[in-house]
Amino acid sequence: MSAEVIRPQGAATAPRLGEEILRATAITKRFPGVLALDDVSFDLKRGEVHALCGENGAGKSTLMKVITGLYGLDEGEIVYKGEKRAFGSIQEAQAVGITIIHQELNLVPHLTVAENIYLGREPKKGWFVDRKKMEADAQVFLDRLKVGIRANELVLNLTVARQQMVEIAKALSLDAEVLIMDEPTSSLTEAEIDRLFEIIHELKAHGVGIVYISHRLDELRRIVDRVTVMRDGRWVSTRDLAAITVDDIVAAMVGRSLDEKFPERTSTPTEEVIFQVADLSRTGKFRNVSFDLRRGEILGFAGLMGAGRTEVARAVFGADPKTGGTVVLEGRELSIASPIDAIRSGIAYLSEDRKLNGLAVKMSVKDNITMANMEAVSSRFGFIDHPLERRVAKKYVDLLNVKTPSVVQIAKNLSGGNQQKVVIGKWLFRDSRVLFFDEPTRGIDVGAKFAIYQLLDELARDGIGVILITSELPEILGMTDRVVVFHEGEVTGILETRQTTQEEIMQYASGVRHMFR
Amino acid sequence: MAITEAGVPERKYNIDKRDLIQKFAALAGLLLLVVAFSMTSSAFMTVSNGVTIALQTTSIAFLGLGATCVIITGGIDLSVGSVLALAGVVAGLATKAGVPVSISMIAGILTGGVCGWVNGIVITRMKLPPFIATLGMMMVARGLALQITGARAVSGLGDDFGILGNGSFMRIVEEGANGFPKVVFPGVSYAVILMAVLAIVCAIVLAKTTFGRHLYAIGSNEEAARLSGVHVDRTKIGAYVLSGLLAGLSGCVLMSRLVTAQPNEGVAYELDAIASAVIGGTSLVGGVGTISGTVIGAFIIGILRNGLNMNGVSSFIQMIIIGLVIIGTVWIDQLRNRR
């Protein structure tokens, strides 16, 4: 890579704007038990910004990972510059001009900006890295972004936004002809977004094709030419942005009918408020979050990824610190500094990522069920009453219909749905008064989902407060009584589920509408 | 629900078989060693050699018990070899100063406990990685032991100091025809009895108490344990205190055997302790491990040393062999888990 080639487009190939550069046809990708992409097609022209929209889990990122060779594809074909290609790795794709900037940044914090930009392709002088040339070259690309980042700064000293800029500089240095940006603006300030959009326009003019994945529908208008909407791993529509409205996109994103089966709700919300959160804040994560929960009610938390729903639940539960706000359970104000306090008060949190935070996978079903309430199955001196423990575990395994050969089965060997039931069993055994369910049905099969929905309903009927955090709007509509909608750390709306629509929720979730402003 | 019912494969028998293989693999290895050494050396399979092996294995086993508890939480304790020395010289110096032997030894053991507590505090409150915290303690404790003794062995401790390490239960001595005493049965040394008792106690603690359960929970998934209301810090500190106490005891037994307090004793013993736990199936990632496995592991190391000695294998070659055994066992374990 030399400093002279600062244009993303080599001088040799004159840009022919509007010519097709990339086409993916009938792509199908399976993961064990999941059809992640089902017959999806996508194309990109030189000098075009093509937005890819869809709810969480719609398959946008998966599609891009298949195109760039991070995942292999099961069916379909990819044609790049008129040639059929199947990249074996991101490096292969990069070498021919396809570069992806991931949502989670892939920089090495303890290296300098220049070292990151040239990682794995450092300019050499003999056996050694030519540091001077590397920094000078990197600086050229950084200067184009006009954000004042120095090439010899350590990446760990940069804000996330500036790190994003380094990623973009790296993409420029790679001489990209196709640039894929996954949620590039999620951590940028307004000014930085403006600068990014200028750069995007510049790149367009040079004939670079850009795939732009974003949840921020309001900003599409400023840069995007065409929009493809995906849903549940399928292609829904590809339209010129000029011909449609944001509402059309939202409708296409959520457009599925409620084909998933939900059990009939048997609990009815009363007027009695059992749980109240007021003005809860955590600097940098969420601010002034207030909501209440009535007896018999299932309250939904809706919002896009990173909107702060999980963070709010974790702060209420004492798993993360909070900077302000009050939590009142059944008329009593709680002071919660740790999960231990929350559990004692009767609040439970079923984490979003079972394997990471919820389940001790190397331990048995029985050990997991009793983990939060060991006192109940042991003597005062801490000796576990094994027969009692087994009976307790058996009781919850039967109650929740956990499919396991025995209670001493290692949790790792259960299916996702059954693992989730084990975690639920843990909190039922603890006699929790309020349960936060964070994405309880993620990654589990339809039958097990139905069982979990039934369980939520039963809990609500028994007077236990149920808060359902989910990214699946049908789940919100099918299961909740009211829904709290989050957008970038704020509650933008609290809606009666019966009187709302997916479109309306999506408008609040994407910040297009705000009830309290 | 028919979908899930059909979807869950029956895996129970598969798992049980694997566990069984693991349990018996170590034990079978141990027996194989015994058989092999019996054939190569006639002096190996004797009562007195058996007693010797058991006595020699006690220090590895004491440390191994503590190491198992710590490693189950996903931690490591590198300080035990030095803590052992510090505890031993504290007991020796106290005895020398006229304190009754039993009280001196309790002081030594408690010194070990304090070192473990400091480890625990540094790891949980100062949030240092266990490797670093206990590496620091390894140097601090060794330095203290050398400093307070002036790097000299403390000797002339009196016969009482030697009872714990050299005394035996049910030792039968007859007067031989030539007038010299003849040992009919060497007895079971106190240290070996102590080892057996403590191994059983540790096994019960791990399997039957909430503290033990919490050790496994932390090692299996610390965040899940924390979110389930487990006192993670308290439990971890407990594991390091236990490791320190056992190191202290090990120091007292060792110095008692020598009837001398040696500040240079126990160098690199922490590695034997970790090795015994690992050979016994304890996972360095945490969440997995048993006392029975560690005891078997300790005996594998003890018998290897003893048997190789008897066969005239140099101590350098012994190191090579034990090193290869550690690599081999863990490799087999990895293969087993990869399936």
Side-chain angles (χ1 to χ4, degrees):
Chain A
M1 188 64 37
S2 64
E4 300 85 67
V5 190
I6 54 166
R7 288 195 173 171
Q9 178 75 28
T13 52
R16 277 158 295 178
L17 301 182
E19 176 196 56
E20 179 180 287
I21 182 162
L22 178 73
R23 171 177 290 276
T25 315
I27 303 289
T28 295
K29 173 71 190 167
R30 288 181 200 90
F31 290 115
V34 188
L35 188 57
L37 293 175
D38 184 5
D39 195 21
V40 176
S41 296
F42 181 82
D43 70 286
L44 183 69
K45 297 173 189 154
R46 287 184 190 277
E48 168 190 55
V49 177
H50 192 154
L52 197 50
C53 297
E55 290 182 274
N56 302 338
K60 300 163 294 190
S61 296
T62 310
L63 177 63
M64 290 305 123
K65 284 175 180 169
V66 167
I67 288 176
T68 52
L70 191 64
Y71 295 153
L73 53 84
D74 294 322
E75 279 163 45
E77 65 168 19
I78 294 162
V79 176
Y80 175 64
K81 289 199 207 169
E83 234 177 288
K84 194 174 171 225
R85 304 297 289 257
F87 303 113
S89 68
I90 285 200
Q91 286 71 24
E92 267 180 50
Q94 242 171 33
V96 298
I98 302 180
T99 293
I100 183 163
I101 301 176
H102 290 283
Q103 199 173 345
E104 5 11 282
L105 299 175
N106 287 319
L107 296 173
V108 184
H110 293 277
L111 297 184
T112 66
V113 170
E115 282 165 340
N116 267 284
I117 289 176
Y118 287 103
L119 195 60
R121 50 192 183 102
E122 294 83 354
K124 296 263 177 64
K125 198 186 243 171
W127 286 4
F128 300 103
V129 172
D130 187 348
R131 176 171 287 274
K132 230 184 213 164
K133 175 171 166 44
M134 184 168 79
E135 287 184 358
D137 289 359
Q139 196 61 55
V140 172
F141 296 109
L142 292 166
D143 288 346
R144 274 190 65 197
L145 300 178
K146 296 183 192 141
V147 283
I149 299 172
R150 281 177 297 112
N152 58 2
E153 276 180 276
L154 283 184
V155 163
L156 62 93
N157 293 332
L158 300 177
T159 61
V160 179
R162 292 166 83 80
Q163 291 184 19
Q164 183 93 50
M165 290 298 178
V166 173
E167 286 272 23
I168 293 166
K170 182 175 180 178
L172 294 180
S173 77
L174 279 165
D175 218 356
E177 290 181 66
V178 170
L179 182 57
I180 300 164
M181 298 176 146
D182 195 348
E183 294 282 348
T185 58
S186 55
S187 52
L188 301 190
T189 65
E190 283 304 320
E192 286 161 338
I193 291 174
D194 289 345
R195 185 65 205 129
L196 175 68
F197 286 178
E198 279 174 41
I199 292 162
I200 289 177
H201 279 295
E202 228 173 282
L203 292 173
K204 269 175 77 165
H206 282 114
V208 177
I210 296 171
V211 182
Y212 189 85
I213 301 178
S214 181
H215 281 309
R216 294 191 170 182
L217 303 181
D218 44 334
E219 66 188 26
L220 297 186
R221 196 65 67 188
R222 296 170 57 189
I223 44 166
V224 168
D225 301 300
R226 283 194 298 163
V227 180
T228 289
V229 175
M230 289 179 70
R231 188 169 67 224
D232 297 337
R234 295 195 195 92
W235 174 87
V236 176
S237 65
T238 300
R239 309 277 300 272
D240 283 336
L241 187 70
I244 54 174
T245 64
V246 170
D247 286 349
D248 292 335
I249 301 173
V250 170
M253 279 164 67
V254 300
R256 107 200 87 184
S257 58
L258 291 182
D259 50 1
E260 273 169 280
K261 293 251 187 306
F262 294 98
E264 200 176 318
R265 289 289 309 281
T266 58
S267 72
T268 39
T270 60
E271 284 302 304
E272 181 195 357
V273 171
I274 53 173
F275 184 64
Q276 253 179 315
V277 168
D279 280 327
L280 197 73
S281 295
R282 182 180 172 202
T283 311
K285 297 284 181 188
F286 54 85
R287 56 205 169 276
N288 302 331
V289 170
S290 304
F291 59 90
D292 56 17
L293 177 66
R294 298 166 204 158
R295 191 176 295 281
E297 179 184 55
I298 297 179
L299 186 68
F301 276 15
L304 297 164
M305 213 158 343
R309 298 166 299 162
T310 294
E311 287 76 6
V312 167
R314 285 180 61 95
V316 170
F317 186 62
D320 291 333
K322 52 176 183 280
T323 44
T326 54
V327 176
V328 176
L329 176 65
E330 288 166 348
R332 214 159 45 86
E333 186 175 336
L334 306 177
S335 89
I336 294 169
S338 72
I340 296 169
D341 297 339
I343 292 165
R344 289 218 175 106
S345 315
I347 297 173
Y349 169 67
L350 280 83
S351 57
E352 176 173 29
D353 189 328
R354 279 189 299 279
K355 296 225 167 78
L356 209 62
N357 307 324
L359 198 72
V361 288
K362 291 180 200 163
M363 299 180 85
S364 68
V365 168
K366 151 183 90 69
D367 294 353
N368 271 289
I369 287 178
T370 55
M371 191 191 284
N373 201 6
M374 289 301 291
E375 306 94 86
V377 291
S378 54
S379 70
R380 196 179 314 153
F381 304 106
F383 280 93
I384 300 167
D385 183 343
H386 282 279
L388 173 65
E389 190 187 26
R390 247 168 237 258
R391 280 201 302 278
V392 165
K394 186 86 178 73
K395 182 181 144 197
Y396 286 96
V397 161
D398 290 345
L399 184 76
L400 301 172
N401 206 8
V402 181
K403 293 286 169 277
T404 173
S406 79
V407 294
V408 294
Q409 175 66 281
I410 303 300
K412 188 165 58 179
N413 297 320
L414 266 52
S415 71
N418 285 303
Q419 288 181 345
Q420 189 64 281
K421 288 182 189 173
V422 169
V423 179
I424 294 173
K426 169 166 83 181
W427 295 113
L428 293 187
F429 178 47
R430 184 70 221 200
D431 264 337
S432 305
R433 307 300 307 144
V434 171
L435 284 114
F436 285 90
F437 288 86
D438 199 347
E439 304 284 0
T441 61
R442 180 180 289 172
I444 67 182
D445 62 76
V446 179
K449 273 188 186 177
F450 190 82
I452 295 207
Y453 296 142
Q454 271 181 324
L455 206 81
L456 298 184
D457 177 59
E458 281 164 29
L459 291 173
R461 196 178 57 203
D462 293 346
I464 293 169
V466 176
I467 294 171
L468 175 63
I469 305 174
T470 175
S471 297
E472 308 217 0
L473 287 177
E475 230 169 65
I476 293 278
L477 293 183
M479 286 309 298
T480 67
D481 298 296
R482 282 186 308 149
V483 50
V484 183
V485 190
F486 288 76
H487 173 73
E488 299 193 338
E490 269 185 316
V491 174
T492 48
I494 298 181
L495 310 165
E496 291 285 338
T497 306
R498 217 171 298 215
Q499 291 154 18
T500 188
T501 59
Q502 299 197 39
E503 287 76 8
E504 190 184 18
I505 295 173
M506 198 44 100
Q507 282 162 352
Y508 284 103
S510 55
V512 178
R513 287 174 71 175
H514 199 309
M515 200 177 259
F516 307 105
R517 201 185 268 160
Chain B
M1 287 313 298
I3 303 161
T4 18
E5 252 155 299
V8 176
E10 191 65 42
R11 281 179 171 137
K12 183 186 171 190
Y13 301 108
N14 192 357
I15 290 302
D16 286 352
K17 211 190 290 167
R18 257 205 258 170
D19 278 0
L20 232 57
I21 291 169
Q22 156 72 9
K23 265 254 145 53
F24 282 100
L27 199 59
L30 186 63
L31 292 177
L32 207 69
L33 278 181
V34 171
V35 171
F37 286 135
S38 306
M39 290 196 294
T40 52
S41 166
S42 57
F44 180 81
M45 203 60 177
T46 58
V47 174
S48 71
N49 191 45
V51 170
T52 307
I53 291 173
L55 192 59
Q56 283 172 345
T57 306
T58 51
S59 44
I60 304 178
F62 286 136
L63 301 179
L65 297 178
T68 307
C69 295
V70 167
I71 295 172
I72 284 174
T73 67
I76 194 106
D77 190 348
L78 298 177
S79 69
V80 289
S82 300
V83 169
L84 167 160
L86 178 61
V89 299
V90 165
L93 288 175
T95 305
K96 194 86 176 171
V99 179
V101 169
S102 55
I103 310 254
S104 304
M105 290 203 167
I106 289 171
I109 294 167
L110 290 179
T111 304
V114 170
C115 291
W117 180 78
V118 173
N119 280 334
I121 292 294
V122 172
I123 289 160
T124 57
R125 298 275 190 271
M126 291 166 62
K127 309 227 177 288
L128 292 196
F131 190 97
I132 303 299
T134 59
L135 183 70
M137 178 56 76
M138 172 173 145
M139 297 185 177
V140 170
R142 179 70 64 189
L144 275 174
L146 289 166
Q147 179 64 33
I148 58 178
T149 55
R152 281 184 298 273
V154 184
S155 53
L157 295 171
D159 289 346
D160 282 357
F161 196 83
I163 292 175
L164 179 65
N166 299 310
S168 299
F169 185 65
M170 283 185 20
R171 182 181 173 92
I172 303 168
V173 183
E174 278 176 0
E175 193 167 321
N178 53 5
F180 286 107
K182 177 170 175 281
V183 178
V184 177
F185 179 65
V188 186
S189 85
Y190 294 138
V192 174
I193 295 173
L194 208 53
M195 171 176 72
V197 170
L198 285 176
I200 292 169
V201 168
C202 282
I204 291 174
V205 166
L206 281 185
K208 296 207 183 292
T209 67
T210 52
F211 173 72
R213 179 68 59 79
H214 289 166
L215 292 177
Y216 285 104
I218 290 169
S220 180
N221 190 338
E222 183 167 336
E223 185 63 7
R226 190 171 80 93
L227 295 182
S228 297
V230 171
H231 289 278
V232 171
D233 287 359
R234 220 186 277 174
T235 308
K236 276 192 184 173
I237 292 171
Y240 286 95
V241 168
L242 193 65
S243 178
L245 288 172
L246 284 162
L249 175 66
S250 185
C252 291
V253 170
L254 209 57
M255 308 296 176
S256 169
R257 264 170 68 192
L258 307 168
V259 207
T260 312
Q262 286 271 14
N264 276 317
E265 196 56 56
V267 172
Y269 274 32
E270 57 278 349
L271 302 182
D272 278 352
I274 294 164
S276 67
V278 166
I279 290 173
T282 304
S283 160
L284 282 176
V285 188
V288 176
T290 57
I291 293 299
S292 59
T294 298
V295 171
I296 291 170
F299 271 95
I300 285 179
I301 295 177
I303 287 176
L304 260 178
R305 289 232 167 96
N306 177 283
L308 293 172
N309 267 334
M310 293 212 148
N311 283 289
V313 178
S314 82
S315 63
F316 308 137
I317 302 288
Q318 289 182 25
M319 283 168 78
I320 295 172
I321 292 176
I322 293 174
L324 293 177
V325 166
I326 294 170
I327 292 171
T329 35
V330 176
W331 180 57
I332 292 169
D333 203 48
Q334 294 280 333
L335 284 182
R336 195 174 53 86
N337 286 325
R338 216 175 287 160
R339 273 189 291 165

